[in-house]
Amino acid sequence: MSIPVVRAETFYLPPPARHPEDWSQIPPAQRVFRWAEHRQQRRLVPPAGFILGQQAFARINHNRWVADCLCGSAQVVTPADPRMACTECGLGWIRLVFPEDVAAVEASVAGLLPHERNWWHDDDPAWDRPAAAEDEDQELVALVAETAAAAGLVVGTPRSSLSPAIEEASR
């Protein structure tokens, strides 16, 4: 059984002393305000309207759907209610961009360990988005081969196929 990707409606839950369904009537994107109020012990009022023309990209980060605020804060979000407002800086509601096929994206990371489940939208210019893995791998392979060749080493061969000088040194 696979561990599902965490969404706002399963992350932002009432305190243990309250019934789990106590927040069921609160839209998932607004639950972060109730959750933060309880944990930070300060009153937070969700904004009244949307900021037109602003959007953020949702991504999977360590098995959680998250989105970043312009201030650098982030929160767990959900495709069931694709909007967010910041509990830190007070930024009003902004639209979130999720992939067209959320289930397919979640399925694409399901085979990984939860802490390795990361996904970015193709259009997301995020600062922490890794370079294409294939490009990095090819560059690393080329660098290792070049360095090994300069040192007279054979790379990627079984020990018995190493150069005689290396075999002699390893005895």
Short mmCIF file of all heavy atoms in Angstrom, two decimals, residues 108-160:
data_model
loop_
_atom_site.label_atom_id
_atom_site.label_comp_id
_atom_site.label_asym_id
_atom_site.label_seq_id
_atom_site.Cartn_x
_atom_site.Cartn_y
_atom_site.Cartn_z
N SER A 108 3.26 9.22 -10.40
CA SER A 108 4.64 9.21 -10.91
C SER A 108 5.68 9.21 -9.79
O SER A 108 6.81 8.80 -10.01
CB SER A 108 4.88 10.39 -11.85
OG SER A 108 4.99 11.60 -11.15
N VAL A 109 5.32 9.68 -8.61
CA VAL A 109 6.26 9.69 -7.49
C VAL A 109 5.94 8.60 -6.47
O VAL A 109 6.69 8.43 -5.50
CB VAL A 109 6.30 11.08 -6.79
CG1 VAL A 109 6.77 12.15 -7.74
CG2 VAL A 109 4.97 11.43 -6.16
N ALA A 110 4.89 7.86 -6.67
CA ALA A 110 4.43 6.87 -5.68
C ALA A 110 5.45 5.78 -5.39
O ALA A 110 5.49 5.23 -4.29
CB ALA A 110 3.10 6.26 -6.12
N GLY A 111 6.28 5.44 -6.36
CA GLY A 111 7.25 4.38 -6.16
C GLY A 111 8.48 4.80 -5.37
O GLY A 111 9.31 3.96 -5.02
N LEU A 112 8.60 6.08 -5.07
CA LEU A 112 9.76 6.58 -4.32
C LEU A 112 9.46 6.59 -2.83
O LEU A 112 8.30 6.60 -2.41
CB LEU A 112 10.08 8.01 -4.77
CG LEU A 112 10.40 8.20 -6.26
CD1 LEU A 112 10.48 9.69 -6.59
CD2 LEU A 112 11.68 7.49 -6.61
N LEU A 113 10.51 6.63 -2.03
CA LEU A 113 10.32 6.81 -0.60
C LEU A 113 9.73 8.20 -0.37
O LEU A 113 10.03 9.13 -1.13
CB LEU A 113 11.66 6.69 0.13
CG LEU A 113 12.30 5.30 0.10
CD1 LEU A 113 13.70 5.36 0.68
CD2 LEU A 113 11.44 4.31 0.87
N PRO A 114 8.89 8.39 0.65
CA PRO A 114 8.24 9.69 0.85
C PRO A 114 9.20 10.88 0.87
O PRO A 114 8.90 11.91 0.30
CB PRO A 114 7.51 9.52 2.18
CG PRO A 114 7.18 8.06 2.21
CD PRO A 114 8.38 7.38 1.59
N HIS A 115 10.36 10.75 1.49
CA HIS A 115 11.28 11.90 1.55
C HIS A 115 11.95 12.18 0.21
O HIS A 115 12.58 13.22 0.04
CB HIS A 115 12.32 11.70 2.65
CG HIS A 115 13.32 10.62 2.35
ND1 HIS A 115 13.05 9.29 2.55
CD2 HIS A 115 14.57 10.70 1.85
CE1 HIS A 115 14.10 8.57 2.20
NE2 HIS A 115 15.04 9.40 1.76
N GLU A 116 11.82 11.27 -0.75
CA GLU A 116 12.39 11.48 -2.09
C GLU A 116 11.32 11.89 -3.10
O GLU A 116 11.63 12.07 -4.27
CB GLU A 116 13.08 10.21 -2.56
CG GLU A 116 14.30 9.86 -1.73
CD GLU A 116 14.93 8.54 -2.14
OE1 GLU A 116 14.29 7.76 -2.88
OE2 GLU A 116 16.06 8.28 -1.72
N ARG A 117 10.10 12.04 -2.67
CA ARG A 117 9.01 12.41 -3.58
C ARG A 117 8.98 13.92 -3.78
O ARG A 117 8.50 14.67 -2.93
CB ARG A 117 7.66 11.93 -3.02
CG ARG A 117 7.54 10.43 -3.00
CD ARG A 117 6.20 10.01 -2.47
NE ARG A 117 6.16 8.55 -2.33
CZ ARG A 117 5.17 7.91 -1.80
NH1 ARG A 117 4.10 8.56 -1.36
NH2 ARG A 117 5.21 6.60 -1.70
N ASN A 118 9.52 14.34 -4.90
CA ASN A 118 9.57 15.75 -5.25
C ASN A 118 9.15 15.90 -6.70
O ASN A 118 9.55 15.10 -7.55
CB ASN A 118 10.97 16.32 -5.05
CG ASN A 118 11.41 16.23 -3.60
OD1 ASN A 118 10.82 16.86 -2.74
ND2 ASN A 118 12.43 15.44 -3.33
N TRP A 119 8.38 16.93 -6.98
CA TRP A 119 7.91 17.20 -8.34
C TRP A 119 7.69 18.69 -8.49
O TRP A 119 7.18 19.33 -7.58
CB TRP A 119 6.61 16.44 -8.62
CG TRP A 119 6.03 16.76 -9.95
CD1 TRP A 119 6.27 16.13 -11.14
CD2 TRP A 119 5.08 17.79 -10.24
NE1 TRP A 119 5.56 16.72 -12.15
CE2 TRP A 119 4.81 17.75 -11.63
CE3 TRP A 119 4.45 18.77 -9.48
CZ2 TRP A 119 3.93 18.63 -12.25
CZ3 TRP A 119 3.59 19.66 -10.10
CH2 TRP A 119 3.33 19.58 -11.47
N TRP A 120 8.09 19.25 -9.64
CA TRP A 120 7.88 20.66 -9.94
C TRP A 120 7.08 20.76 -11.24
O TRP A 120 7.28 19.98 -12.17
CB TRP A 120 9.21 21.39 -10.15
CG TRP A 120 9.97 21.64 -8.91
CD1 TRP A 120 10.00 22.79 -8.18
CD2 TRP A 120 10.85 20.74 -8.23
NE1 TRP A 120 10.83 22.66 -7.10
CE2 TRP A 120 11.36 21.39 -7.11
CE3 TRP A 120 11.24 19.41 -8.45
CZ2 TRP A 120 12.26 20.80 -6.22
CZ3 TRP A 120 12.11 18.82 -7.58
CH2 TRP A 120 12.61 19.52 -6.48
N HIS A 121 6.23 21.75 -11.31
CA HIS A 121 5.48 22.04 -12.53
C HIS A 121 6.48 22.46 -13.60
O HIS A 121 7.47 23.13 -13.31
CB HIS A 121 4.47 23.16 -12.26
CG HIS A 121 3.45 23.34 -13.31
ND1 HIS A 121 3.72 23.95 -14.51
CD2 HIS A 121 2.15 22.96 -13.37
CE1 HIS A 121 2.64 23.96 -15.25
NE2 HIS A 121 1.67 23.36 -14.57
N ASP A 122 6.22 22.07 -14.86
CA ASP A 122 7.14 22.42 -15.95
C ASP A 122 7.37 23.92 -16.08
O ASP A 122 8.45 24.36 -16.49
CB ASP A 122 6.62 21.87 -17.28
CG ASP A 122 6.73 20.35 -17.36
OD1 ASP A 122 7.56 19.77 -16.63
OD2 ASP A 122 5.97 19.75 -18.14
N ASP A 123 6.38 24.73 -15.76
CA ASP A 123 6.49 26.18 -15.92
C ASP A 123 6.99 26.90 -14.67
O ASP A 123 7.13 28.12 -14.67
CB ASP A 123 5.13 26.78 -16.31
CG ASP A 123 4.63 26.24 -17.64
OD1 ASP A 123 5.47 25.90 -18.49
OD2 ASP A 123 3.40 26.16 -17.82
N ASP A 124 7.25 26.15 -13.60
CA ASP A 124 7.66 26.75 -12.33
C ASP A 124 9.12 27.18 -12.37
O ASP A 124 10.01 26.36 -12.57
CB ASP A 124 7.45 25.74 -11.21
CG ASP A 124 7.68 26.31 -9.82
OD1 ASP A 124 8.10 27.48 -9.72
OD2 ASP A 124 7.43 25.59 -8.84
N PRO A 125 9.39 28.48 -12.18
CA PRO A 125 10.78 28.95 -12.18
C PRO A 125 11.43 28.88 -10.80
O PRO A 125 12.32 29.67 -10.50
CB PRO A 125 10.62 30.41 -12.64
CG PRO A 125 9.31 30.82 -12.05
CD PRO A 125 8.43 29.58 -12.12
N ALA A 126 11.00 27.96 -9.97
CA ALA A 126 11.43 27.89 -8.57
C ALA A 126 12.95 27.89 -8.43
O ALA A 126 13.66 27.28 -9.22
CB ALA A 126 10.86 26.65 -7.90
N TRP A 127 13.43 28.55 -7.40
CA TRP A 127 14.87 28.63 -7.13
C TRP A 127 15.45 27.27 -6.74
O TRP A 127 16.63 27.02 -6.93
CB TRP A 127 15.14 29.64 -6.02
CG TRP A 127 14.51 29.25 -4.72
CD1 TRP A 127 13.25 29.58 -4.29
CD2 TRP A 127 15.07 28.45 -3.68
NE1 TRP A 127 12.99 29.05 -3.07
CE2 TRP A 127 14.10 28.33 -2.67
CE3 TRP A 127 16.28 27.81 -3.52
CZ2 TRP A 127 14.32 27.61 -1.50
CZ3 TRP A 127 16.49 27.09 -2.35
CH2 TRP A 127 15.52 27.00 -1.36
N ASP A 128 14.65 26.40 -6.14
CA ASP A 128 15.18 25.12 -5.65
C ASP A 128 14.92 23.96 -6.59
O ASP A 128 15.13 22.81 -6.24
CB ASP A 128 14.59 24.81 -4.27
CG ASP A 128 13.08 24.66 -4.28
OD1 ASP A 128 12.44 25.08 -5.27
OD2 ASP A 128 12.54 24.14 -3.29
N ARG A 129 14.50 24.27 -7.80
CA ARG A 129 14.24 23.21 -8.77
C ARG A 129 15.57 22.66 -9.28
O ARG A 129 16.43 23.42 -9.73
CB ARG A 129 13.43 23.78 -9.94
CG ARG A 129 13.08 22.75 -10.95
CD ARG A 129 12.30 23.38 -12.08
NE ARG A 129 11.90 22.35 -12.99
CZ ARG A 129 10.78 22.35 -13.65
NH1 ARG A 129 9.95 23.36 -13.53
NH2 ARG A 129 10.49 21.36 -14.45
N PRO A 130 15.76 21.35 -9.20
CA PRO A 130 17.04 20.79 -9.66
C PRO A 130 17.16 20.86 -11.18
O PRO A 130 16.16 20.88 -11.89
CB PRO A 130 16.97 19.34 -9.18
CG PRO A 130 15.51 19.04 -9.10
CD PRO A 130 14.84 20.33 -8.72
N ALA A 131 18.41 20.89 -11.64
CA ALA A 131 18.65 20.83 -13.08
C ALA A 131 18.21 19.45 -13.58
O ALA A 131 18.06 18.52 -12.79
CB ALA A 131 20.13 21.05 -13.36
N ALA A 132 18.02 19.32 -14.84
CA ALA A 132 17.62 18.03 -15.40
C ALA A 132 18.64 16.98 -14.99
O ALA A 132 19.84 17.13 -15.20
CB ALA A 132 17.52 18.13 -16.91
N ALA A 133 18.17 15.91 -14.38
CA ALA A 133 19.04 14.87 -13.85
C ALA A 133 19.92 14.27 -14.95
O ALA A 133 21.09 13.98 -14.73
CB ALA A 133 18.21 13.79 -13.17
N GLU A 134 19.36 14.09 -16.13
CA GLU A 134 20.13 13.49 -17.22
C GLU A 134 21.32 14.37 -17.58
O GLU A 134 22.42 13.88 -17.82
CB GLU A 134 19.26 13.28 -18.47
CG GLU A 134 18.08 12.35 -18.26
CD GLU A 134 16.87 13.06 -17.65
OE1 GLU A 134 16.72 14.28 -17.84
OE2 GLU A 134 16.09 12.38 -16.98
N ASP A 135 21.13 15.68 -17.61
CA ASP A 135 22.22 16.59 -17.94
C ASP A 135 23.31 16.52 -16.88
O ASP A 135 24.50 16.46 -17.20
CB ASP A 135 21.71 18.03 -18.05
CG ASP A 135 20.75 18.22 -19.21
OD1 ASP A 135 20.73 17.36 -20.12
OD2 ASP A 135 20.01 19.23 -19.19
N GLU A 136 22.91 16.52 -15.61
CA GLU A 136 23.89 16.44 -14.53
C GLU A 136 24.64 15.12 -14.59
O GLU A 136 25.85 15.08 -14.41
CB GLU A 136 23.20 16.58 -13.17
CG GLU A 136 22.77 17.98 -12.84
CD GLU A 136 22.14 18.07 -11.46
OE1 GLU A 136 22.06 17.05 -10.76
OE2 GLU A 136 21.75 19.18 -11.09
N ASP A 137 23.92 14.01 -14.83
CA ASP A 137 24.55 12.69 -14.89
C ASP A 137 25.56 12.62 -16.02
O ASP A 137 26.67 12.11 -15.84
CB ASP A 137 23.50 11.59 -15.06
CG ASP A 137 22.64 11.40 -13.83
OD1 ASP A 137 23.02 11.92 -12.76
OD2 ASP A 137 21.60 10.73 -13.94
N GLN A 138 25.20 13.13 -17.19
CA GLN A 138 26.11 13.09 -18.34
C GLN A 138 27.35 13.93 -18.07
O GLN A 138 28.46 13.54 -18.42
CB GLN A 138 25.39 13.57 -19.61
CG GLN A 138 24.31 12.61 -20.08
CD GLN A 138 24.85 11.20 -20.34
OE1 GLN A 138 25.94 11.02 -20.84
NE2 GLN A 138 24.06 10.20 -19.98
N GLU A 139 27.17 15.10 -17.46
CA GLU A 139 28.31 15.95 -17.13
C GLU A 139 29.23 15.27 -16.13
O GLU A 139 30.45 15.32 -16.26
CB GLU A 139 27.82 17.28 -16.57
CG GLU A 139 27.17 18.18 -17.60
CD GLU A 139 26.57 19.44 -16.98
OE1 GLU A 139 26.92 19.78 -15.84
OE2 GLU A 139 25.75 20.08 -17.66
N LEU A 140 28.65 14.60 -15.12
CA LEU A 140 29.45 13.92 -14.12
C LEU A 140 30.21 12.75 -14.73
O LEU A 140 31.39 12.56 -14.47
CB LEU A 140 28.55 13.44 -12.97
CG LEU A 140 29.27 12.74 -11.82
CD1 LEU A 140 30.29 13.68 -11.19
CD2 LEU A 140 28.27 12.26 -10.79
N VAL A 141 29.55 11.96 -15.57
CA VAL A 141 30.20 10.83 -16.23
C VAL A 141 31.36 11.32 -17.08
O VAL A 141 32.46 10.75 -17.06
CB VAL A 141 29.18 10.03 -17.08
CG1 VAL A 141 29.89 9.06 -18.00
CG2 VAL A 141 28.22 9.29 -16.17
N ALA A 142 31.16 12.39 -17.83
CA ALA A 142 32.22 12.94 -18.68
C ALA A 142 33.39 13.43 -17.83
O ALA A 142 34.56 13.19 -18.17
CB ALA A 142 31.67 14.06 -19.54
N LEU A 143 33.10 14.10 -16.71
CA LEU A 143 34.15 14.62 -15.84
C LEU A 143 34.95 13.48 -15.22
O LEU A 143 36.19 13.52 -15.19
CB LEU A 143 33.54 15.50 -14.74
CG LEU A 143 34.53 16.09 -13.74
CD1 LEU A 143 35.52 17.01 -14.45
CD2 LEU A 143 33.80 16.83 -12.65
N VAL A 144 34.28 12.45 -14.74
CA VAL A 144 34.97 11.30 -14.14
C VAL A 144 35.83 10.60 -15.18
O VAL A 144 37.00 10.26 -14.92
CB VAL A 144 33.95 10.32 -13.50
CG1 VAL A 144 34.62 9.01 -13.13
CG2 VAL A 144 33.31 10.95 -12.28
N ALA A 145 35.29 10.40 -16.37
CA ALA A 145 36.05 9.73 -17.43
C ALA A 145 37.29 10.54 -17.81
O ALA A 145 38.38 9.99 -18.00
CB ALA A 145 35.16 9.49 -18.64
N GLU A 146 37.12 11.85 -17.92
CA GLU A 146 38.24 12.72 -18.29
C GLU A 146 39.32 12.71 -17.22
O GLU A 146 40.51 12.60 -17.52
CB GLU A 146 37.71 14.14 -18.49
CG GLU A 146 38.75 15.15 -18.92
CD GLU A 146 38.15 16.54 -19.07
OE1 GLU A 146 37.04 16.66 -19.62
OE2 GLU A 146 38.80 17.50 -18.62
N THR A 147 38.90 12.80 -15.95
CA THR A 147 39.85 12.78 -14.84
C THR A 147 40.57 11.44 -14.76
O THR A 147 41.79 11.39 -14.57
CB THR A 147 39.12 13.07 -13.51
OG1 THR A 147 38.42 14.30 -13.64
CG2 THR A 147 40.09 13.15 -12.35
N ALA A 148 39.82 10.36 -14.92
CA ALA A 148 40.42 9.04 -14.87
C ALA A 148 41.40 8.83 -16.01
O ALA A 148 42.49 8.28 -15.82
CB ALA A 148 39.33 7.98 -14.90
N ALA A 149 41.03 9.26 -17.21
CA ALA A 149 41.92 9.10 -18.36
C ALA A 149 43.21 9.88 -18.15
O ALA A 149 44.30 9.40 -18.49
CB ALA A 149 41.21 9.56 -19.63
N ALA A 150 43.10 11.08 -17.58
CA ALA A 150 44.30 11.88 -17.33
C ALA A 150 45.21 11.21 -16.32
O ALA A 150 46.43 11.36 -16.38
CB ALA A 150 43.89 13.27 -16.84
N ALA A 151 44.63 10.42 -15.41
CA ALA A 151 45.42 9.73 -14.40
C ALA A 151 45.83 8.34 -14.85
O ALA A 151 46.49 7.60 -14.11
CB ALA A 151 44.63 9.64 -13.10
N GLY A 152 45.42 7.95 -16.05
CA GLY A 152 45.76 6.62 -16.57
C GLY A 152 44.93 5.52 -15.96
O GLY A 152 45.35 4.36 -15.94
N LEU A 153 43.76 5.84 -15.46
CA LEU A 153 42.89 4.84 -14.84
C LEU A 153 41.82 4.37 -15.81
O LEU A 153 41.45 5.07 -16.74
CB LEU A 153 42.20 5.43 -13.60
CG LEU A 153 43.12 5.97 -12.51
CD1 LEU A 153 42.29 6.63 -11.43
CD2 LEU A 153 43.96 4.85 -11.93
N VAL A 154 41.31 3.17 -15.56
CA VAL A 154 40.20 2.64 -16.33
C VAL A 154 38.98 2.74 -15.45
O VAL A 154 38.98 2.29 -14.30
CB VAL A 154 40.47 1.17 -16.73
CG1 VAL A 154 39.29 0.60 -17.47
CG2 VAL A 154 41.75 1.07 -17.54
N VAL A 155 37.92 3.34 -15.94
CA VAL A 155 36.72 3.58 -15.14
C VAL A 155 35.63 2.59 -15.50
O VAL A 155 35.42 2.27 -16.66
CB VAL A 155 36.21 5.02 -15.38
CG1 VAL A 155 34.94 5.27 -14.59
CG2 VAL A 155 37.28 6.02 -14.98
N GLY A 156 34.92 2.12 -14.48
CA GLY A 156 33.74 1.30 -14.70
C GLY A 156 34.02 -0.13 -15.09
O GLY A 156 33.21 -0.77 -15.73
N THR A 157 35.18 -0.65 -14.72
CA THR A 157 35.50 -2.04 -15.04
C THR A 157 35.66 -2.83 -13.76
O THR A 157 35.97 -2.26 -12.70
CB THR A 157 36.81 -2.11 -15.85
OG1 THR A 157 37.85 -1.52 -15.08
CG2 THR A 157 36.68 -1.41 -17.18
N PRO A 158 35.48 -4.15 -13.82
CA PRO A 158 35.69 -4.96 -12.62
C PRO A 158 37.15 -4.86 -12.16
O PRO A 158 38.05 -4.55 -12.95
CB PRO A 158 35.37 -6.38 -13.08
CG PRO A 158 34.62 -6.23 -14.35
CD PRO A 158 35.00 -4.92 -14.93
N ARG A 159 37.37 -5.15 -10.91
CA ARG A 159 38.71 -5.01 -10.31
C ARG A 159 39.76 -5.78 -11.10
O ARG A 159 40.87 -5.32 -11.28
CB ARG A 159 38.66 -5.47 -8.86
CG ARG A 159 39.97 -5.31 -8.17
CD ARG A 159 39.85 -5.84 -6.75
NE ARG A 159 41.18 -5.94 -6.20
CZ ARG A 159 41.59 -5.24 -5.17
NH1 ARG A 159 40.78 -4.43 -4.57
NH2 ARG A 159 42.80 -5.38 -4.73
N SER A 160 39.42 -6.96 -11.58
CA SER A 160 40.40 -7.78 -12.29
C SER A 160 40.85 -7.13 -13.61
O SER A 160 41.87 -7.50 -14.16
CB SER A 160 39.85 -9.18 -12.56
OG SER A 160 38.71 -9.07 -13.38
#
